[in-house]
Amino acid sequence: MLKPYELEAMAVTVFELPLSQWLLKIVLSIFFITGYNSVYVVLWHHANNKAADNSPHTFWYRLSVTVFCLLASLFLYAAQLAVNAPMLILNMVLFMLTLPLLATDIQFWEYLTRLGGLMIFLVATHAVIPSQVFIVGLAIFLGFCWVNWHYRNHINYGHLLPRIAFNLYLACLFWIPLTTPQGQYYASKMIFQGIAMYVVITIISGIYLLVQYRSISHDRTMTHLADYDALTHAKNYSMYTRDATELFSDAQKHGDPLTLMTLDVDHFKHINDTYGHLAGNAVLINIANTLQTTLQHHGKEDQIYRTGGEEFNIVFPKMTPEQANPIVNECWNAIRSADFKYKGQIINVTISVGVTAMRSDDSLIDDTYRRADESLYMSKQHGRDKVTVEGHLQNLAG
């Protein structure tokens, strides 16, 4: 067994690195961290896409990001037993546990889980003699974490300086109170090397994540422009075709019902001719917002699709027309009861609606849509401001 002075000498040899070795270990850590960042960003981006699409598996995708961070950190920390490079390993583990705390668009349970993993690591590495400096510093750090949680969406990957300051404080909190297994503090040279290595890793990684963040933001913008109507922010015809076809196929495969609602703004040309095209645009925007609010009131996450100039569609998966009827009627009544205003003028708006269900002999979603459109045409033939379900006019009271 090694004597205490031999353990101390070994610690000094390991930690007080010549400049060439120190720089080499930084390069190695950057390669590792870059790979870690790439996997993390892919998982994070995928989880957020699932959340945006209201996927029922969103929780598991989000959980997978946190689990990946914690398991990767645990594996690397365990590897220090076999690798004679504790400064490198400890800094990388510290960074891997801190990075997830600086993410945007995370939920409170995710933040607490990630913070818990970091706290366990900090306490475990300072458990020999938890000094007053460390305890006070840890309390201050928790205060920073509280601020970070509340302002996380304002300090995203595009803001590098706050992230560097956050990590610099954490590096000082970790390295300054760190002691040897015998409870002795390390030399100032080792502390400086450890903090400097961590800050360099943070800066290089921050620049990399900034590039990734801007790339993802650009891709999201382009995707939104391609999938959403620029005026109403409802999904466009291209997305309707894609989503409706997928929902139609799923319904046929599992034998589930599916209901399609199509609606058209009554006398929309008259609105444009009377109040101007800008007023017509405002009406379309308000209609899309009113429909979305009505669906949310019913706890529905179905999407609104603008499939034509003044035509919108809503798909109700796993619902028969009878089940969807209360929602359809409320959508109809919400539009006709709303006060659509444009430059102080109130514009009365009504819609005509057609509703139909998918049938077993429908081979395409277009077959279902054709019947919904025929019901819509019947509503218009009978004076507009009507709802027609499967070719039968509904007796509605406004």
Side-chain angles (χ1 to χ4, degrees):
M1 178 178 290
L2 294 174
K3 300 285 193 299
Y5 67 87
E6 293 176 320
L7 286 171
E8 185 176 352
M10 185 179 71
V12 171
T13 302
V14 169
F15 281 106
E16 294 187 5
L17 302 173
L19 180 61
S20 59
Q21 292 186 28
W22 184 80
L23 291 175
L24 176 62
K25 291 185 182 300
I26 286 182
V27 172
L28 292 175
S29 66
I30 289 173
F31 276 110
F32 180 87
I33 290 297
T34 300
Y36 171 81
N37 286 345
S38 298
V39 176
Y40 172 79
V41 168
V42 169
L43 290 175
W44 169 83
H45 183 49
H46 190 61
N48 278 275
N49 283 344
K50 291 297 180 181
D53 293 338
N54 297 312
S55 169
H57 305 298
T58 296
F59 170 78
W60 298 108
Y61 283 106
R62 300 183 78 97
L63 181 62
S64 69
V65 181
T66 300
V67 170
F68 164 74
C69 297
L70 297 178
L71 289 182
S73 303
L74 179 62
F75 174 80
L76 188 61
Y77 183 62
Q80 74 167 323
L81 300 176
V83 179
N84 192 26
M87 181 185 293
L88 174 66
I89 298 295
L90 291 175
N91 268 326
M92 287 197 295
V93 173
L94 185 62
F95 177 84
M96 290 165 63
L97 290 171
T98 306
L99 173 66
L101 289 178
L102 300 174
T104 58
D105 301 322
I106 61 175
Q107 298 177 2
F108 189 60
W109 68 266
E110 294 176 282
Y111 193 81
L112 282 183
T113 304
R114 298 174 184 193
L115 179 59
L118 176 59
M119 294 297 293
I120 291 173
F121 173 70
L122 290 174
V123 172
T125 50
H126 294 75
V128 176
I129 301 180
S131 64
Q132 292 182 349
V133 174
F134 175 72
I135 294 174
V136 172
L138 196 60
I140 296 174
F141 174 69
L142 290 175
F144 286 160
C145 289
W146 182 85
V147 173
N148 174 62
W149 164 254
H150 284 279
Y151 294 96
R152 63 195 181 283
N153 291 328
H154 301 283
I155 310 176
N156 56 32
Y157 295 117
H159 299 82
L160 191 56
L161 289 180
R163 298 171 64 84
I164 293 176
F166 185 88
N167 279 278
L168 176 59
Y169 177 84
L170 183 59
C172 293
L173 172 64
F174 179 82
W175 284 106
I176 292 176
L178 191 65
T179 60
T180 66
Q182 292 73 43
Q184 297 180 346
Y185 290 105
Y186 287 106
S188 58
K189 179 180 178 180
M190 181 278 292
I191 294 174
F192 175 79
Q193 285 183 334
I195 294 174
M197 177 182 289
Y198 187 76
V199 171
V200 171
I201 292 173
T202 298
I203 293 174
I204 299 299
S205 175
I207 295 173
Y208 171 81
L209 288 173
L210 176 60
V211 173
Q212 290 289 93
Y213 175 79
R214 289 178 175 174
S215 176
I216 290 174
S217 297
H218 179 266
D219 291 343
R220 282 184 171 179
T221 301
M222 293 298 102
T223 300
H224 191 275
L225 291 175
D227 295 342
Y228 288 81
D229 175 52
L231 177 65
T232 63
H233 298 295
K235 287 189 174 183
N236 58 23
Y237 181 78
S238 174
M239 282 298 292
Y240 163 76
T241 302
R242 189 188 317 168
D243 291 351
T245 300
E246 182 178 345
L247 291 171
F248 178 85
S249 299
D250 288 344
Q252 282 195 322
K253 180 180 178 181
H254 299 100
D256 294 327
L258 181 142
T259 296
L260 178 63
M261 169 187 175
T262 183
L263 64 96
D264 194 90
V265 183
D266 296 329
H267 304 295
F268 186 69
K269 184 178 184 302
H270 175 74
I271 294 174
N272 281 332
D273 293 342
T274 303
Y275 302 99
H277 285 83
L278 292 179
N281 289 343
V283 166
L284 293 175
I285 294 170
N286 285 325
I287 286 176
N289 292 338
T290 301
L291 292 172
Q292 193 67 60
T293 300
T294 303
L295 290 180
Q296 291 172 352
H297 174 71
H298 282 272
K300 299 293 294 179
E301 297 176 344
D302 304 285
Q303 298 293 321
I304 310 297
Y305 301 90
R306 185 186 178 194
T307 51
E310 65 269 23
E311 181 181 311
F312 295 85
N313 280 273
I314 304 174
V315 184
F316 297 100
K318 299 183 179 179
M319 295 185 72
T320 64
E322 291 76 16
Q323 293 171 324
N325 199 49
I327 305 175
V328 172
N329 292 344
E330 188 167 333
C331 287
W332 169 81
N333 193 55
I335 297 297
R336 71 196 309 273
S337 302
D339 290 330
F340 293 97
K341 295 181 180 179
Y342 181 76
K343 290 187 176 180
Q345 293 180 303
I346 297 178
I347 305 174
N348 295 318
V349 179
T350 61
I351 57 174
S352 297
V353 180
V355 179
T356 192
M358 180 192 73
R359 296 177 182 173
S360 58
D361 58 346
D362 289 344
S363 58
L364 299 170
I365 186 62
D366 289 346
D367 298 329
T368 311
Y369 173 79
R370 191 175 297 109
R371 287 194 307 279
D373 194 51
E374 290 171 355
S375 290
L376 170 62
Y377 184 68
M378 182 176 292
S379 293
K380 287 185 172 295
Q381 277 187 320
H382 288 79
R384 295 181 171 85
D385 191 21
K386 300 287 191 303
V387 175
T388 302
V389 180
E390 302 288 15
H392 300 286
L393 283 173
Q394 302 294 291
N395 185 18
L396 302 175

